[in-house]
Amino acid sequence: MGAEGIDPDEVRHVARLARLELSGEEVERMAGELAGVLRHIATIDELDLDGVEPTSHVVSVENALRPDVPRPCLPRERALESAPEVADDGFAVPSPQA
Amino acid sequence: MAELEVVIGLEIHVQLATQTKMFCSCALSFGDPPNVHTCPVCLALPGALPVVNERAIHLGLMIGMALGSELAPRSTFHRKNYFYPDSPKGYQISQYDEPLCRGGTLEGVRIHRVHLEEDAAKLIHLGSSGRIHGSQTSVVDFNRGGTPLVEIVTEPDLRSAAQAREWLELLRATLRALGVSDVNMEEGSLRADANVSLRAAGSSELGTKAELKNMNSFRYLERGIGAEVERQSAIISGGGEVEQETLHFDPASGHLTPLRSKEDAQDYRYFPEPDLVPIAITAAMLGAARAAMPELPAARAARFESELSISPERARQLAFRGDLGDFFERAVSASADGVAHARRIADWLTGEVLARLGDADPASSRLEPGALAALAALLADGVVTATAAREVLDALISDGGDPAAIVAERGLGAIADSDGLAEIVARAIAADPDTAEQVRSGNAKAIGALVGPIMRETRGRADGAELQRLIRAALGVGD
Amino acid sequence: MSDASEIIALSAAAAAGAVGAGDLDAGELFDAYRSRAGADPLNAFVWVAEEAPANGAGPLGGVPVAVKDLFCTEGVPSQSGSRILEGYRPPYTATVVERIAAAGGPLLGKTNQDEFAMGSSTENSAFGPTRNPWDDSRVPGGSSGGSAAAVAARLAPWAIGTDTGGSIRQPAALCGIVGLKPTYGAVSRYGMIAFASSLDQAGPLTRDVTDAALLFAAMTGARDPLDSTSLEYPAQVVLPTQRDLRGIRLGVPAELTGEGIEPGVLSSFEATLDLARELGASVEPCALPHAGHALAAYYVLAPAEASSNLARFDGVRYGYRARGASDLLSMYTQTRHDGFGDEVKRRIMLGTYALSSGYYDAYYGRAQRVRTKISEDFAAAFERFDFIVTPTAPGVAFPLGAKTADPLAMYLNDFCTVPMSLAGIPAISIPSGLAASPDGDRQLPVGFQFAAAPFREGAMLEAAFALEQAIGFDGSAAAVEL
Ligand SMILES: [Mg+2]
Ligand SMILES: [Zn+2]
C-alpha cells in the first residue's frame, strides 16, 4: 500500500470527496504531510493478519433497540434557530440544480 | 443480428408504516408543515446518536418471511457517505455486507436481498426567488428525513416492462397484505428503480445496464422501462454500445435523461456504523414476526382455486389485488349459497365490476358484497339475463340497493314464458322475411339480425340461447 | 469557611464533604470558583457560567464541574473548539452533563480543547491555545487541555473531558493531575460532539484519585437508551481506600516503555515501579506484541470515522457558512475550508483517503485487524496481570509551537495511550512526580498510567489510590495566583 505516498492529483480527488476546498499551495503541503503519516501507517504492512477478524466494535452489545413510541419533537423555531439561511420555514441552500 | 432479450432487475424502496422514524422518536408525518417533525438525531445536530426502531426490525423480518428470504442471525449497519442537503449527517445509515435478509423468491422472481435504511429529507426547489444573492435556492424539510425504509433488490429475472409492472403489483399486494407499508407509489411510500439491460437471447452474460429512477406510478414504470428498452435496442442495432448510467424518467415527456455525469462518479466509502451495534435476531423476534404474518396473496390464490374452484387466472387476479380478494371473500360469505355461486361472483367481480371501477376499491363504491352475491344468484337461477344483470349492476354501483328489488322495480325479470316469446319471435320473422329466408337456407349467422330487434323490444330480458332455439324451431331449422 | 484560598485548597471530594456537613455553603463554593474561572489567565475556559443553577443536593455536593467544550449544553456555547460551530448553542444537553448535574455537579464553564478533540496540545483551537499552569510557555497537552489546565491551576475543582487516543490521560499527565479514561461504553456518548465514535469516551480530570472515583460514579450507572453503545455499569463505584498493593501483579510492556520515552519520564516511571514493589506489588515484563503498531492503526481508524462524523458540518443547519458561494458545491467546499483548522482538514483527508475506493482493504480493513490483535494482546496479558503500567506520555509538557509543524511528532505523544483506546479498556494517569524537561530548565509533571481489563475501574482506582498515597505528589504549585 501507499508507502509511495499520495500525489497532488489524489489529494485533489480526496478533497473533492470530502468537500474541502484546497488552494494549490495547500494541496502541495497536504500531499507532503499525508505522505509522512502514510509512511508511518505503512508499518502495519509488516504484520501477518491473515485470518484475523476485523474489529468494528469493542462492546459486545447487540440489539440496542428503541420502542416505536413517538416523543415530542423540537418546535420549528428551535430547529431553525441556528440555520445560516432560512426560507419558507426550511433550511435554505444553493440549489443543487443550479 | 441475434434476437435481443430484455433483462430487468428492480430495486424497491418501501417506507415502513411505523409510528416513529428509523433512528429517532420523531413521529412520521405526511403533509404536515415543514420541519415540525425533527429532533437532534434527525437534524444531525452535533453529538446526537441513532437508536434503531425495534418495530422496523419486526416489519423487515415479516417482509423477509413473506419473500422466503434467509433471515440473517446477525446483521449490521453501515454508513453510506455522500454530501447532499437532504442527507443531514453527510451519510445515510444503511446495510451493506450484512443485510437483514438475503435471497428468497416471489412468483419466480428471485430476491437478492432485503435491507433496512433511512429515508432522505425533502428538498424543495424555490427557484431564483430565494434570498441567496438572487441565485437558485432550494429549501430542506426534514419531516421525512429518517423515515424507516426497507430496500428490496431483485435478481435480474424480469423479461419485459409489462412483467415488471405485474410483478411489482404483486409485491405491492403482498406488502399491503402484510400491513407493513401504505405502498402508495404516487405518495412515495413505494418507490421502484429499474436496472435495464439487453443481451443476445440465450446468452447467460448480462449486458451493460442503465439504472432508471423516478418512475412514481405503475404506468410510468412500464413506460419508462419500455422507453429504455427501445433506446438500448436502437443503440445496439445501430452497432453502438450501451453506456452504464443513471437515467431520470420525466413523466411529462416520457423521456429519460442522464442524472449524473460520469466524472462525478460516486464513492460512498461504506464502513461499519460505529454508533450502532449489530442486530441479532432472537427466537422471540422471529416468533413475533411469524405470529403477525397474514395470509399472503399467493397462498390466497391457491386457496381460492382449491376451496372455491376458481380458475387459476381469476384466483390470482382476485388475490393479487387485495381489495378485490377481500370484496370477493365478503361476497362469498354473505349468504348461505355464496360458495355455490363463487365462480360467478369471481367472474362478475373481475369482469363487469372491474370494467366499471378500474383501480378503485369496490368496497368504496355503493355496491355491497352481499348485493353482488345476490345478483350472481339471480343470474344462476335464470331470474335475470346477463344483459339485464349489467343494468342492475350499474344501479348497484351508483345507488346501492338490493338486486331483487331493482329487478322488480324496473321490470328487468327474464321472460321465462316461452309462449309469450314465441309470439314475439313470430312477429319478428314476419317483419323481416328476407333474413328469415337466409336462415332457412342455411346461413346460421344471419340469425343475429332477427335476435337484435327482439332484444331491443324485451330490453334484454329474453334469454339469448332460448331465443335462438325458438327462432330456429319456428323456421324449421335444426340445431 | 469564608476564605477563598481555603476553599480552593480543598479537593472536590473534601469540598463536597464540607458542603454536606454544613461547613461550606454551596453558593459560596460556586462563586469562589466562578470568579477564578472568570479571571482565567491560561485560556483554559472558553465560557464561564453566570450563576449556579438552583439545585445543589446530591453526592457531588454542589461542587461545580468544568466541562470540555465538545459536550453539548443546552443554550450554552458548545463548539468543540471549532470555528465551524461559531456561536452554536445546542437545544439539548449531553447525557453525562445531565447526570453530573442531577448528582449535584453544576456547570462551572466550558473548557478549551483541540478542535474536534484532534490534537495533543490544545493548540488546534479556534479560541487559541491553552497554557500549562506549570509553565505558561508550554502546552497543557490535549485535546482536553482546557479541562486539565483548569483543574491543575485550581480554576476548577474538577472537570470532564474526552479521550479518543489519550486526550484525557496525556493532558492530565502534562498538568500533574489525575485523568481517567473509562471502559468504552461505560459513559454515554450522547451529546458529545463526536471525533471517532468507536473510541471516544468521556471521563473525569481531577486533582486526585478519590475525586476521580467520585465523579466517575456520577457519570456511569444505568445504560443510556440514547446511546446504542452504552452499557449499564456492572458495579457500584466506591471511593478507594486501599493503602498497599499486596498481591497485585503489574505488567510492564517493553513495547511501550523503551525507545522514544524521555529519560526524565523513564526514571520517574522506574522510581514509581520501585514504590509499587515496596507496596507489595509484583512487577514483571509483559508482552503486548502489537502495541507498537497501535498508533499506525489508530491513525487510520480514528480519521476514517472522523471524516464521516464531520460530514454534518456542511453549512446547512447550523454553524458557519461561507458567504458568497452561489452554488452548492462551492458552498460546501468553502464553508469547510474556512470553518475547519489545518489538523482537522488533515484528518478528514487521511480518513477519506483510507475509506476511498481501492484503499479500504489496505488501510481500514488492515487497521481493524490490527485492532483485533491489540485487544487479544491485552486479553492475554490480563490473564497474568492485574494491570498493565506504562508512562502516560513519552515526554513532559513541551513548548508552545514545538510540534505544530510536524504532525507525526505530535501524534507520537499518544504512543502509550492509543493501545488502550483501541482495545476499549479503562486506563488512568496519576502524577508520579516531576522530571526535568529535555532542555533541562524546568521541572514538570510526569504521568504514570495503569490499564485494566474492561469494567475493572474499581480495582484500578484502588491500586492508583494506594500508589498515589505513597507518591505523595503535591500539585499545589500549579495553582495560579489571581
Ligand atoms: Mg437504498
Ligand atoms: Zn428525529
Side-chain angles (χ1 to χ4, degrees):
Chain A
M1 68 192 204
E4 353 33 270
I6 175 167
D7 64 42
D9 276 346
E10 272 183 297
V11 168
R12 271 185 283 271
H13 169 70
V14 173
R16 161 95 183 201
L17 281 177
R19 297 294 186 268
L20 279 176
E21 174 89 31
L22 293 181
S23 69
E25 182 264 327
E26 286 169 321
V27 167
E28 294 296 329
R29 184 154 48 89
M30 187 69 80
E33 288 165 349
L34 292 183
V37 180
L38 289 172
R39 261 193 303 280
H40 177 76
I41 289 169
T43 58
I44 60 175
D45 280 0
E46 53 195 57
L47 298 173
D48 176 10
L49 299 168
D50 287 353
V52 179
E53 283 296 309
T55 294
S56 301
H57 280 99
V58 289
V59 282
S60 52
V61 192
E62 288 169 336
N63 296 338
L65 305 174
R66 169 179 65 75
D68 185 28
V69 178
R71 294 177 52 82
C73 295
L74 286 172
R76 181 165 52 217
E77 318 79 74
R78 297 224 70 190
L80 291 171
E81 73 189 355
S82 300
E85 299 262 10
V86 172
D88 287 6
D89 295 333
F91 299 84
V93 291
S95 177
Q97 286 107 315
Chain B
M1 166 148 316
E3 207 180 312
L4 293 172
E5 180 181 42
V6 178
V7 178
I8 302 161
L10 297 178
E11 282 180 29
I12 301 110
H13 285 91
V14 182
Q15 282 184 340
L16 295 178
T18 50
Q19 295 295 307
T20 63
K21 293 184 178 182
M22 185 70 212
F23 299 115
C24 66
S25 299
C26 289
L28 299 189
S29 70
F30 298 96
D32 282 333
N35 293 305
V36 296
H37 293 267
T38 71
C39 72
V41 177
C42 58
L43 283 177
L45 298 191
L49 297 171
V51 185
V52 174
N53 182 340
E54 67 178 359
R55 177 96 183 146
I57 304 289
H58 172 75
L59 299 181
L61 289 175
M62 286 176 67
I63 293 172
M65 284 178 178
L67 299 176
S69 303
E70 185 190 314
L71 311 176
R74 184 178 182 281
S75 71
T76 54
F77 289 94
H78 270 61
R79 291 186 184 176
K80 179 182 182 178
N81 295 284
Y82 67 96
F83 285 89
Y84 208 66
D86 65 7
S87 169
K89 297 186 292 298
Y91 53 85
Q92 178 195 37
I93 304 177
S94 182
Q95 294 192 288
Y96 186 56
D97 55 357
E98 296 179 299
L100 188 68
C101 320
R102 274 179 215 274
T105 172
L106 180 67
E107 283 289 295
V109 173
R110 289 169 304 150
I111 304 297
H112 177 60
R113 57 186 277 148
V114 177
H115 75 242
L116 289 163
E117 57 185 34
E118 56 179 334
D119 209 347
K122 209 184 260 172
L123 194 60
I124 304 139
H125 190 60
L126 282 192
S128 49
S129 64
R131 290 169 209 163
I132 303 172
H133 313 296
S135 61
Q136 302 278 305
T137 297
S138 293
V139 162
V140 201
D141 168 14
F142 287 98
N143 284 349
R144 190 185 70 179
T147 297
L149 290 181
V150 153
E151 180 175 327
I152 301 168
V153 182
T154 77
E155 297 291 353
D157 287 353
L158 295 156
R159 292 292 172 267
S160 72
Q163 193 199 357
R165 174 189 178 149
E166 217 167 274
W167 186 85
L168 189 61
E169 282 173 337
L170 168 61
L171 178 68
R172 181 178 63 165
T174 305
L175 296 171
R176 183 172 279 160
L178 289 171
V180 296
S181 170
D182 296 340
V183 284
N184 184 318
M185 282 190 89
E186 284 76 11
E187 287 173 7
S189 52
L190 176 71
R191 307 197 284 268
D193 300 337
N195 291 316
V196 179
S197 63
L198 299 183
R199 67 180 171 196
S203 163
S204 59
E205 266 168 54
L206 291 171
T208 306
K209 67 178 183 187
E211 196 181 340
L212 273 55
K213 293 192 174 287
N214 193 43
M215 298 166 296
N216 59 359
S217 76
F218 288 99
R219 202 156 54 88
Y220 292 158
L221 177 90
E222 194 174 348
R223 274 176 55 195
I225 295 174
E228 178 57 14
V229 168
E230 266 179 47
R231 190 186 71 91
Q232 290 188 20
S233 310
I235 291 172
I236 292 169
S237 57
E241 272 187 35
V242 175
E243 280 183 62
Q244 177 149 2
E245 59 187 329
T246 302
L247 301 166
H248 186 266
F249 179 73
D250 176 15
S253 66
H255 286 151
L256 297 159
T257 47
L259 204 59
R260 296 192 254 278
S261 65
K262 278 244 271 324
E263 54 119 12
D264 206 19
Q266 296 288 323
D267 180 351
Y268 291 125
R269 291 159 282 135
Y270 278 100
F271 75 102
E273 165 58 286
D275 287 333
L276 293 172
V277 298
I279 304 295
I281 299 307
T282 62
M285 288 157 97
L286 286 176
R290 204 168 285 125
M293 292 296 284
E295 183 186 41
L296 295 175
R300 195 180 204 186
R303 179 166 59 81
F304 288 169
E305 268 185 68
S306 64
E307 290 180 7
L308 299 171
S309 305
I310 307 298
S311 74
E313 203 197 324
R314 280 269 185 285
R316 287 159 50 123
Q317 227 183 327
L318 290 170
F320 290 3
R321 236 188 83 178
D323 55 343
L324 287 189
D326 291 348
F327 196 90
F328 171 66
E329 295 214 52
R330 282 167 58 201
V332 167
S333 57
S335 69
D337 58 354
V339 172
H341 300 306
R343 285 176 68 167
R344 191 171 255 105
I345 295 171
D347 289 347
W348 274 72
L349 186 56
T350 55
E352 298 295 336
V353 175
L354 212 56
R356 285 164 176 75
L357 294 179
D359 288 342
D361 182 352
S364 64
S365 78
R366 304 191 106 147
L367 174 67
E368 290 295 323
L372 183 64
L375 185 59
L378 295 178
L379 269 163
D381 299 342
V383 177
V384 289
T385 64
T387 308
R390 286 187 198 101
E391 193 178 329
V392 176
L393 184 62
D394 285 335
L396 290 173
I397 285 174
S398 61
D399 307 316
D402 170 48
I406 295 169
V407 169
E409 185 186 310
R410 302 196 182 183
L412 288 172
I415 304 168
D417 168 19
S418 16
D419 293 340
L421 260 188
E423 208 174 290
I424 300 171
V425 166
R427 241 188 287 134
I429 290 172
D432 191 355
D434 289 353
T435 302
E437 189 49 40
Q438 281 181 43
V439 174
R440 225 179 255 124
S441 60
N443 182 355
K445 278 186 191 159
I447 199 164
L450 293 172
V451 171
I454 299 172
M455 279 303 193
R456 268 195 295 283
E457 185 178 339
T458 62
R459 284 167 52 228
R461 289 154 59 227
D463 180 83
E466 175 68 1
L467 191 54
Q468 294 208 15
R469 195 186 61 75
L470 287 172
I471 294 172
R472 276 194 291 271
L475 295 174
V477 184
D479 282 337
Chain C
M1 203 180 296
S2 61
D3 183 349
S5 66
E6 270 179 73
I7 295 175
I8 302 310
L10 296 170
S11 74
V19 171
D23 297 336
L24 175 60
D25 176 64
E28 204 183 327
L29 171 67
F30 188 92
D31 286 340
Y33 276 105
R34 194 183 57 81
S35 64
R36 282 182 68 79
D40 161 29
L42 302 169
N43 200 27
F45 280 91
V46 297
W47 178 87
V48 177
E50 292 284 304
E51 55 189 314
N55 82 319
L60 303 187
V63 181
V65 182
V67 170
K68 190 176 183 179
D69 191 30
L70 61 68
F71 290 92
C72 286
T73 37
E74 185 175 348
V76 168
S78 309
Q79 62 182 85
S80 204
S82 183
R83 181 177 180 216
I84 209 159
L85 279 173
E86 207 166 72
Y88 178 62
R89 291 171 185 247
Y92 77 108
T93 297
T95 298
V96 63
V97 176
E98 275 184 346
R99 285 197 180 176
I100 288 171
L107 175 65
L108 173 62
K110 302 293 288 286
T111 57
N112 202 4
Q113 59 168 94
D114 284 300
E115 183 180 9
F116 290 110
M118 296 176 190
S120 306
S121 67
T122 316
E123 290 166 289
N124 306 327
S125 169
F127 300 104
T130 295
R131 289 161 189 274
N132 191 313
W134 293 83
D135 174 353
D136 66 11
S137 72
R138 291 172 190 266
V139 303
S143 66
S144 308
S147 285
V151 173
R154 291 4 184 198
L155 300 174
W158 50 12
I160 60 171
T162 59
D163 190 313
T164 306
S167 280
I168 288 174
R169 292 162 284 165
Q170 184 260 10
L174 269 51
C175 290
I177 62 167
V178 172
L180 169 65
K181 182 204 95 75
T183 308
Y184 183 85
V187 178
S188 168
R189 293 184 297 113
Y190 190 75
M192 259 166 61
I193 301 176
F195 163 14
S197 311
S198 79
L199 297 156
D200 294 345
Q201 193 60 197
L205 293 106
T206 55
R207 277 184 218 176
D208 62 31
V209 175
T210 304
D211 283 1
L214 183 60
L215 191 49
F216 177 61
M219 297 171 79
T220 56
R223 76 172 291 274
D224 180 6
L226 299 177
D227 174 2
S228 306
T229 63
S230 83
L231 295 154
E232 178 176 3
Y233 199 77
Q236 187 76 38
V237 179
V238 296
L239 302 189
T241 55
Q242 196 173 298
R243 293 286 172 161
D244 64 59
L245 293 174
R246 266 175 299 189
I248 299 292
R249 300 158 303 168
L250 301 180
V252 180
E255 295 84 358
L256 302 177
T257 49
E259 211 188 322
I261 313 277
E262 284 174 11
V265 170
L266 218 43
S267 56
S268 173
F269 179 66
E270 297 292 349
T272 309
L273 289 181
D274 286 343
L275 262 182
R277 285 191 194 93
E278 284 171 28
L279 291 172
S282 67
V283 179
E284 302 284 340
C286 116
L288 294 175
H290 299 85
H293 289 98
L295 199 68
Y298 175 85
Y299 274 96
V300 173
L301 298 173
E305 292 183 16
S307 71
S308 177
N309 283 334
L310 269 53
R312 68 187 56 198
F313 302 103
D314 60 2
V316 175
R317 296 166 313 287
Y318 43 76
Y320 172 80
R321 173 188 288 191
R323 288 177 192 282
S326 58
D327 65 291
L328 182 65
L329 182 64
S330 51
M331 190 281 277
Y332 281 152
T333 60
Q334 284 172 25
T335 294
R336 291 164 62 78
H337 172 272
D338 303 351
F340 290 136
D342 286 346
E343 180 58 25
V344 169
K345 279 185 240 186
R346 234 172 347 251
R347 302 223 191 166
I348 289 174
M349 289 291 292
L350 192 56
T352 304
Y353 178 70
L355 290 174
S356 68
S357 177
Y359 293 104
Y360 181 93
D361 291 335
Y363 288 106
Y364 195 80
R366 279 189 78 78
Q368 282 186 307
R369 288 176 169 80
V370 175
R371 192 174 187 182
T372 304
K373 297 307 287 181
I374 288 165
S375 291
E376 289 171 1
D377 286 355
F378 276 113
F382 289 126
E383 288 185 6
R384 293 184 49 220
F385 298 100
D386 295 293
F387 307 108
I388 309 296
V389 292
T390 73
T392 307
V396 295
F398 47 91
L400 286 159
K403 299 185 180 182
T404 43
D406 182 354
L408 199 59
M410 189 69 90
Y411 298 171
L412 285 167
N413 272 290
D414 296 334
F415 186 75
C416 299
T417 48
V418 152
M420 296 77 184
S421 297
L422 289 176
I425 59 174
I428 192 169
S429 177
I430 62 168
S432 61
L434 301 177
S437 59
D439 43 34
D441 63 350
R442 275 288 182 174
Q443 289 288 310
L444 294 163
V446 176
F448 180 91
Q449 175 178 229
F450 285 84
F455 298 107
R456 296 257 297 151
E457 280 91 345
M460 189 173 74
L461 286 160
E462 291 286 2
F465 176 76
L467 199 51
E468 176 186 56
Q469 303 311 304
I471 293 167
F473 180 78
D474 179 5
S476 60
V480 291
E481 301 269 356
L482 295 171

